[in-house]
Amino acid sequence: MDAFDYVIVGAGSAGSVLTNRLSEDPGTSICVLEAGPKDWHPYIHLPAGFIKTFHMKSINWAYQQEPGPWTGGRSIYAPRGKTLGGSSSINGHIYNRGQRQDFDTWAQLGNRGWGYPDVLPYFKRLERRVGEGEDAYRGRDGNLTVTTMDWQDPLCEAFMAGAMSLGIPKNPDYNGAIQEGVSYAQRTIQNGRRVSAATAFLHPARKRPNVHVHTHAHATNLIFEGKRAVGVRYVRGGKGGAPFEVRANKEVILAGGTYNSPQLLQLSGVGSPDLLASHGIEVRHALPGVGEGLQDHYAPRTVARVKNIKTINELRRGLSLWVEALKWATTRRGLLSLSPTMVYCFWHSGETMESSDLQLTFTPASYKEGVQGQLEDQPGMTVASWQQRPESRGYVRLRSADPFAPPIIQTNYLTAELDRRVIVAGMKLARRLLKSAPLAPYYAYEDFPGPGVESDDEFLAAATQRGTTTFHPGCTCRMGPAYSNWAVVDDQLRVHGLQGLRVIDASIMPRMISANLNASTMMIADKASDLIRGKSAPTG
Ligand SMILES: Cc1cc2nc3c(=O)[nH]c(=O)nc-3n(C[C@H](O)[C@H](O)[C@H](O)COP(=O)(O)OP(=O)(O)OC[C@H]3O[C@@H](n4cnc5c(N)ncnc54)[C@H](O)[C@@H]3O)c2cc1C
């Protein structure tokens, strides 16, 4: 059996950062197992390729969620990256850290060293910010390039003017001192190409002789000696492929993401005894929190039809698309270099909220059935709105003992009353923004939810009819103290009650943050690398 110091399962956002940092020590050997292929596909690297990779099963787990009590009987699609870079290779490129209070709350839950002053140095160390930002908050020397949207679009300008006309201030840096306000989105795009965790962290690390990355290597369960994890079993080439084992002399690290890390634990006999028994899996270690507590952002998209100007819906067709392709080829700018969302707005659902609890995004485009992935034919603009810190929680549980079967994903969107109230407030604000005076020259009429929707109940019905994930699942292997009945890992990200095993990815978040999750997932991995290596936090 091959043996390495560390075996990392998953080469996604967290796995890529970890591999880079742990391999800085030339005396340390690392094996990375990634179920997907190399990230060679051109659509991964072309920012507008997002719309294609969204459904591309060769590099996407393409999960389906279970219908929930508030999703109108719908099973919501849940894309997840399955390639080097993981979800950062198919995501919407937005760079958004969240609010100071998000991380202070993690610390308050009993996680020492995870408050905002503790995590800020890692956000800074990871990034190379190009553009506005104070040195107190932004890094300039890291691997992850963060730029600001550079496509001047009259609709985006009018949307921002509209927000300001409603009293929402312009914020030069929502990743700085304060998040609230409106501004162009910050993105992980450099010279018209996606900056994934793989391009920023994994590929540079792969040049080191102590890094061994296996693609098409699907981890099927963990190998234990007593309570110590000592290795991983995996299959090469998909279901029915050849089985292999790899040994970890120091640690096994799970970085398979929010859906797959708890699944692998459960397959390996770590989880709720009742669940394991129902699938005939022997209990290695009872840990009822595994897979429980799933949170995600749920967004209905308010759509208006547009007049007097072209939107992206038309620009991506016919001659216009050829012009844009030429522009990208010669200047690396234009439509093909864009993220799916362009303007970000953070605001309050009510006057009593101390910090913004709503996130709204604006795009001069619209999608069929409100689901990203297929643009509409007629001109449209969209405001997606979601509650930043939802209270609803669901779970990820084994569907079967077959490691190739997708897990059961039940997010329980909108089951908490607060979540329903805030989502309605968000939709009302979205309507006001689209109807603001600066957008009037372009605003034709509201297509969804439509002018007939006026009462709170009607807005809520519309939200259940058309809301979708914003692709931010987290919290299924939560970090917390051993005495809690929900925690899976401690504040060093070690699995409670076991040795030689950590989980390091978006699943360890104890509570949803006010942001998209890529930046904070990489921060978690960077901080974890110091915990593993016994290094103190960076200064400055
Ligand atoms: C469509 C989409 C759009 C998004 N947009 C944004 C955005 O604009 N901004 C933002 O901040 N966030 C966005 N996100 C979310 C963000 O990208 C993720 O939260 C983040 O990448 C999660 O990182 P992770 O390391 O936890 O998991 P991932 O990056 O998903 O990595 C997990 C890796 O583990 C591998 N793996 C899983 N199981 C196994 C196994 N059994 N064996 C071997 N390998 C395995 C997977 O193939 C994958 O490569 C988006 C996500 C998606 C899917």
Side-chain angles (χ1 to χ4, degrees):
M1 195 191 323
D2 288 340
F4 300 86
D5 291 325
Y6 297 98
V7 176
I8 300 175
V9 177
S13 298
S16 297
V17 172
L18 273 171
T19 305
N20 186 301
R21 298 298 193 226
L22 294 180
S23 64
E24 280 172 2
D25 175 0
T28 297
S29 59
I30 293 146
C31 172
V32 185
L33 302 176
E34 168 53 50
K38 290 192 177 131
D39 56 339
W40 63 269
H41 202 291
Y43 283 145
I44 292 174
H45 305 286
L46 183 72
F50 169 90
I51 209 108
K52 300 283 187 192
T53 57
F54 195 78
H55 287 290
M56 203 178 267
K57 287 205 171 148
S58 55
I59 55 167
N60 190 331
W61 293 86
Y63 288 135
Q64 284 297 142
Q65 303 187 41
E66 302 302 305
W70 292 87
T71 62
R74 291 172 307 131
S75 154
I76 293 174
Y77 178 56
R80 290 278 97 191
K82 187 182 183 182
T83 179
L84 299 183
S87 297
S88 79
S89 287
I90 66 162
N91 75 8
H93 328 91
I94 298 301
Y95 184 82
N96 182 14
R97 294 175 180 176
Q99 299 175 8
R100 175 183 292 268
Q101 294 96 313
D102 293 324
F103 306 101
D104 287 344
T105 305
W106 290 8
Q108 275 180 340
L109 288 167
N111 297 304
R112 298 155 302 175
W114 290 89
Y116 185 71
D118 306 305
V119 302
L120 179 59
Y122 291 99
F123 280 119
K124 290 176 68 177
R125 180 164 86 176
L126 285 162
E127 77 167 342
R128 188 175 79 85
R129 169 71 177 140
V130 178
E132 280 193 90
E134 294 171 41
D135 287 349
Y137 299 97
R138 306 310 301 261
R140 303 281 175 185
D141 308 317
N143 288 25
L144 188 80
T145 302
V146 180
T147 57
T148 300
M149 236 278 297
D150 54 3
W151 202 57
Q152 300 295 314
D153 182 272
L155 281 166
C156 292
E157 292 287 328
F159 176 83
M160 286 194 285
M164 286 187 278
S165 75
L166 298 183
I168 301 174
K170 198 154 186 183
N171 183 351
D173 182 11
Y174 58 79
N175 289 306
I178 185 159
Q179 190 188 48
E180 71 187 39
V182 66
S183 57
Y184 277 117
Q186 296 180 21
R187 319 104 17 113
T188 46
I189 294 176
Q190 181 182 20
N191 298 331
R193 287 172 68 86
R194 174 192 294 276
V195 181
S196 70
T199 52
F201 295 99
L202 187 68
H203 294 319
R206 288 182 78 192
K207 297 192 179 119
R208 299 176 183 146
N210 54 342
V211 172
H212 304 262
V213 178
H214 297 307
T215 49
H216 297 288
H218 189 127
T220 54
N221 56 13
L222 306 178
I223 305 169
F224 285 95
E225 284 174 4
K227 292 277 182 185
R228 168 170 285 276
V230 295
V232 179
R233 285 194 190 91
Y234 65 100
V235 168
R236 285 195 103 151
K239 192 167 175 152
F244 290 87
E245 291 184 357
V246 59
R247 193 173 173 93
N249 294 331
K250 290 187 175 160
E251 292 189 18
V252 173
I253 300 173
L254 303 191
T258 294
Y259 299 142
N260 295 50
S261 285
Q263 182 191 25
L264 189 54
L265 284 171
Q266 291 165 358
L267 286 167
S268 309
V270 181
S272 148
D274 288 344
L275 175 73
L276 302 180
S278 70
H279 294 290
I281 295 172
E282 193 185 329
V283 178
R284 165 73 51 178
H285 180 61
L287 201 52
V290 173
E292 302 298 307
L294 173 64
Q295 294 199 294
D296 191 7
H297 291 130
Y298 180 82
R301 293 187 166 81
T302 303
V303 178
R305 301 268 73 99
V306 172
K307 60 184 184 187
N308 302 329
I309 194 168
K310 276 190 177 171
T311 67
I312 289 176
N313 295 3
E314 304 89 77
L315 287 177
R316 54 91 206 202
R317 283 200 309 261
L319 185 62
S320 298
L321 182 59
W322 285 103
V323 171
E324 290 299 330
L326 190 65
K327 203 187 288 175
W328 186 83
T330 52
T331 66
R332 294 284 184 262
R333 294 170 90 93
L335 190 69
L336 301 186
S337 72
L338 294 181
S339 314
T341 45
M342 291 171 210
V343 179
Y344 261 60
C345 179
F346 303 91
W347 201 237
H348 309 246
S349 64
E351 280 167 12
T352 55
M353 287 308 301
E354 195 187 312
S355 71
S356 52
D357 58 341
L358 282 175
Q359 187 170 337
L360 302 103
T361 63
F362 175 77
T363 314
S366 58
Y367 304 98
K368 290 186 178 152
E369 297 291 311
V371 182
Q372 283 180 325
Q374 250 194 309
L375 288 163
E376 288 186 312
D377 295 327
Q378 65 272 55
M381 54 184 171
T382 303
V383 176
S385 50
W386 63 88
Q387 184 199 13
Q388 300 224 75
R389 297 178 295 281
E391 293 189 339
S392 306
R393 285 191 185 271
Y395 52 82
V396 171
R397 293 178 190 157
L398 287 184
R399 188 178 302 277
S400 91
D402 174 2
F404 290 91
I408 295 173
I409 301 167
Q410 174 53 270
T411 314
N412 280 331
Y413 294 116
L414 302 183
T415 47
E417 204 256 328
L418 176 76
D419 299 2
R420 299 197 288 276
R421 239 186 304 136
V422 178
I423 211 89
V424 167
M427 291 178 82
K428 288 180 173 171
L429 178 56
R431 174 179 283 177
R432 285 174 65 214
L433 285 163
L434 287 169
K435 283 189 160 179
S436 68
L439 270 172
Y442 312 115
Y443 178 92
Y445 62 92
E446 186 178 292
D447 189 60
F448 185 84
V453 168
E454 280 178 359
S455 70
D456 285 7
D457 284 348
E458 288 165 344
F459 273 109
L460 186 58
T464 59
Q465 186 193 330
R466 278 265 288 255
T468 66
T469 172
T470 59
F471 325 112
H472 305 153
C475 315
T476 52
C477 295
R478 284 175 282 172
M479 168 173 67
Y483 57 76
S484 75
N485 60 359
W486 49 263
V488 173
V489 295
D490 67 9
D491 52 23
Q492 309 274 306
L493 310 189
R494 297 171 298 208
V495 176
H496 284 299
L498 294 172
Q499 286 100 47
L501 183 62
R502 294 188 209 234
V503 182
I504 302 176
D505 57 27
S507 71
I508 68 95
M509 296 187 186
R511 196 171 278 184
M512 180 52 86
I513 59 168
S514 320
N516 320 51
L517 300 194
N518 195 34
S520 49
T521 304
M522 288 191 272
M523 174 280 290
I524 288 167
D526 197 9
K527 183 169 164 53
S529 72
D530 275 354
L531 295 173
I532 293 169
R533 297 165 81 194
K535 291 184 69 174
S536 47
T539 49

